[in-house]
Amino acid sequence: MTSSLTDPALLHITDASTLGPAIRARRRAQSLRIDDAASLSGVSVDLLSRLENGKGSVRLDKLLAVLDSLGLALVLGPKDHPMMQSVLHPRVELPGQP
């Protein structure tokens, strides 16, 4: 992951171990308990817990339901697209530079 979990910027997710903490951070930022978030998403607490912990497999439709209920989106595009480049290679601004 190339960005802080509390940063609202786009994240480059490379595997389940980076996706899970991002989902957990979003849920917590909305002050949702895991059981409430699971209910809003239409998934079990066990599934949401496994997802947040990067454990096991989760069906795509369940993942999309969780993301949607938390106000998140899955975006797919070619790596060479300018928007994707900004996510894959974020510009680091040094103090004192414009």
Side-chain angles (χ1 to χ4, degrees):
M1 190 163 34
T2 59
S3 182
S4 164
L5 293 178
T6 57
D7 184 350
L10 299 174
L11 301 176
H12 177 212
I13 303 296
T14 57
D15 55 37
S17 68
T18 56
L19 177 62
I23 291 172
R24 178 182 291 119
R26 179 67 177 200
R27 174 179 61 79
R28 288 181 175 169
Q30 295 177 2
S31 301
L32 286 171
R33 296 181 333 185
I34 193 167
D35 56 329
D36 292 331
S39 179
L40 288 170
S41 302
V43 301
S44 69
V45 172
D46 178 63
L47 182 139
L48 184 52
S49 176
R50 285 186 291 117
L51 181 58
E52 288 187 356
N53 288 299
K55 308 279 186 198
S57 61
V58 176
R59 287 184 4 200
L60 181 60
D61 60 329
K62 300 297 184 181
L63 171 62
L64 293 173
V66 169
L67 295 176
D68 185 58
S69 72
L70 295 175
L72 298 170
L74 178 65
V75 177
L76 181 68
K79 289 181 177 181
D80 60 353
H81 188 279
M83 185 183 91
M84 296 304 224
Q85 286 295 308
S86 69
V87 175
L88 295 170
H89 309 289
R91 182 173 175 233
V92 177
E93 294 186 25
L94 300 174
Q97 286 188 336

